[in-house]
Structure formats: C-alpha cells, structure tokens
Amino acid sequence: MSSTVCSGDPMGVAVHSDAMYADPGGIFASCGQPYVKFRRQHDPVVVDYLTHLGPSPARVLDLGCGPGTLALDLAERGMRITGVDASQEMLDEGRKWAEQRGLSEAVEWRCVDAATVDHIDRLGTFDGAVIADAFHWLDRQRVLMALDKVVRPGGFVAVVGYRAPGTPREWWHPLLVKLREKHLGAADLAGPSTPYVRLEVGHEAVVRASPFCRVAVLRADYRRAYTLDELVGLQHTFAYSSAATLGERQEAFEADLRSTLSTVQPSGLFTTTLQAAVIVGRRPESR
C-alpha cells in the first residue's frame, strides 16, 4: 500500500469539472435484478480493509450504492450503512437483497443525487464514505465537497474499483467491445440514449485536489471466474449493454455473444486475474 501526504492548498490543483448526466437515475434502467444475480461481490481483502478504516461500529455512507453490492458486505461486518443512489430500481432491489440476507435493519436507503448529500434532512455525520465502481458516474468534485460537510473530522473517503487504473482488463474485454460496436455503434452509452462522458482526470488526482487530499492507495490481486451463462448475464449489469440500452437488439446481441465466446473458449469457463484498487482520502492533520 502506498501513502502520500499532500502539501499546500489541496484545492489549488487544477481539475476539470465533470459533466452531469441529465437523468442519473435512468443510467442503469433494467439493471437492478441482473446486478444482484451476476455482479461479483468485492474481494474479501478489499472489504476487510474498508472495515478497519474507521471506528467500530462505524457509520458509513455508500454513494452510488446500487443494490448494495458493497453496502451489504460492510453491514455484515458490523458497519451501519446509509446507501445512496439515484436509481429507485436499484434501491428496491437492495431492500429485497438485504431482507434475504437478514440485514433489513442494517442499511438505510436514500434515493437522491450523491452530490446533494450535504442537503439531505436529518442525514447526520459519518465516520466515512465509500464509492464503489460508481465515482465515474458522479460529479466528483461536487461529491467530495459535499462529503466534506458530512464526514466527521478524522473520517475517510474511499473510492473502490474492481480494476486498478492502468492494469489490464479481462482478456475477453476486446471481444465485448467489438460486439457492442457491431450492435450499438462505436460510442459507449450511459443507458438507453445518453452518450458516456469520458473523464479527463483520474480518480486519484481528483481526490488529491479535494479536502481529502491525504491519500493512501491499496492494490490487491484477485482471481475472477465466470461460466458462459454468467458472463452473458453480466452484460445486462452494464449501462452500455443493458436490456434497456439494447432494446430490440438484445436477442441478436446475446446470440452473437454466445457464439463468439464459445468459439474462443469451448470449455465455457472464463478466468482472469485482476487488481482491485482502493483510494482512501483523509483531511490533513492540520484540519
């Protein structure tokens, strides 16, 4: 794990502001149920690391929580979680999943824009906040400024990614990109009708330019495996290849996907090694 302490005025670093999506709640339309069924939970090393960032039991805000992929794992380890997402569909699936896992009382769900958490009535303060595989969908600077108002002194912000920036993607990723381009065109989509906005500045630089500029980074290798059915189902969890985005092209896309993947991997088992990353920001001690 690497650690760096910022110096000077953290807000003096120039960072391009992120574009806002007009309908953030619609980006993952139709993804709720597939997300619970096919998205892999975060590696235990990452979950264990997060549970030791604050006091026990910690009160933690999960922004862009989806159906609770990370929130419920943290709740199982004793954290008190408030999950925030712009998609009511995702939160509804999260409530069902929490009930199935006996965690209905452990997570509070709020359907709001993550950038407005400092204005939510009776939200209170938190020991920390996590943002897992969702930071790229948010107005990152606004979110971090809002968190500066609701995360207590000494608290943390943790940006979690299933794949560390600059590390290789799954070996089958280029095949999926070509198939999406064939069926949907060259541009990535943020849901059914909105182009995806590519960010100019990486997450770590944005955190360093925020009030949480004292940064530590954890990287952890892990193995991931899917059957053919699981890998096909996984595509319905992504905004750029969801059922809502594909529409009437879904059946043709899936048939093409199955044929292509079966050709390159007749065994039907797809395995890879990835490297997860956790970027943890805290305020300077002088604050």
Side-chain angles (χ1 to χ4, degrees), residues 24-25 28 31-32 35-36 39-42 60-75 80-98 101 106-115 117 120 126 129-138 143 158 160 237:
F28 285 91
C31 292
Y35 215 101
V36 172
R39 276 285 179 118
R40 289 285 189 270
Q41 292 169 269
H42 291 273
V60 174
L61 188 64
D62 184 352
L63 299 183
C65 65
T69 308
L70 177 60
L72 296 180
D73 280 352
L74 294 177
R80 295 173 293 151
I81 308 296
T82 297
V84 169
D85 203 284
S87 169
Q88 188 61 56
E89 175 189 345
M90 284 289 191
L91 297 179
D92 289 343
E93 292 301 322
R95 289 188 179 92
K96 295 176 188 175
W97 200 12
R101 294 170 63 172
V107 180
E108 177 187 8
W109 308 92
R110 295 289 191 108
C111 187
V112 293
D113 186 328
V117 293
I120 300 175
F126 294 83
V130 297
I131 310 168
D133 293 321
F135 207 30
H136 55 294
W137 296 113
L138 308 178
V143 165
V160 183
T237 73

Side-chain angles (χ1 to χ4, degrees), residues 1-182:
M1 183 178 70
S2 61
S3 178
T4 303
V5 178
C6 60
S7 60
D9 178 9
M11 299 310 293
V13 180
V15 177
H16 297 281
S17 70
D18 301 325
M20 292 288 288
Y21 291 98
D23 180 21
I27 291 174
F28 285 91
S30 78
C31 292
Q33 290 184 8
Y35 215 101
V36 172
K37 184 174 181 180
F38 294 111
R39 276 285 179 118
R40 289 285 189 270
Q41 292 169 269
H42 291 273
D43 189 76
V45 171
V46 169
V47 179
D48 290 343
Y49 176 68
L50 293 171
T51 60
H52 290 92
L53 290 177
S56 182
R59 185 169 187 245
V60 174
L61 188 64
D62 184 352
L63 299 183
C65 65
T69 308
L70 177 60
L72 296 180
D73 280 352
L74 294 177
E76 284 181 335
R77 286 160 174 77
M79 288 186 166
R80 295 173 293 151
I81 308 296
T82 297
V84 169
D85 203 284
S87 169
Q88 188 61 56
E89 175 189 345
M90 284 289 191
L91 297 179
D92 289 343
E93 292 301 322
R95 289 188 179 92
K96 295 176 188 175
W97 200 12
E99 185 176 0
Q100 292 168 5
R101 294 170 63 172
L103 296 168
S104 296
E105 303 301 320
V107 180
E108 177 187 8
W109 308 92
R110 295 289 191 108
C111 187
V112 293
D113 186 328
T116 68
V117 293
D118 56 327
H119 298 302
I120 300 175
D121 186 38
R122 296 187 298 276
L123 189 65
T125 58
F126 294 83
D127 298 304
V130 297
I131 310 168
D133 293 321
F135 207 30
H136 55 294
W137 296 113
L138 308 178
D139 185 328
R140 298 175 296 175
Q141 289 174 287
R142 282 186 60 198
V143 165
L144 290 168
M145 294 303 294
L147 289 176
D148 190 36
K149 299 176 183 178
V150 299
V151 172
R152 67 168 178 79
F156 67 89
V157 172
V159 178
V160 183
Y162 88 96
R163 186 184 65 86
T167 59
R169 291 183 177 272
E170 301 89 335
W171 61 263
W172 55 82
H173 179 74
L175 298 174
L176 301 181
V177 172
K178 289 182 179 179
L179 287 175
R180 291 203 307 272
E181 290 178 349
K182 175 182 175 180

Side-chain angles (χ1 to χ4, degrees), residues 211-251:
F212 301 91
C213 63
R214 186 164 62 89
V215 172
V217 180
L218 170 77
R219 288 174 176 249
D221 290 355
Y222 66 102
R223 292 283 289 172
R224 187 138 289 184
Y226 299 94
T227 64
L228 176 61
D229 287 343
E230 289 171 336
L231 192 53
V232 171
L234 181 66
Q235 306 318 304
H236 295 309
T237 73
F238 299 119
Y240 50 66
S241 57
S242 66
T245 299
L246 286 164
E248 62 184 14
R249 295 161 290 195
Q250 180 179 341
E251 185 175 343

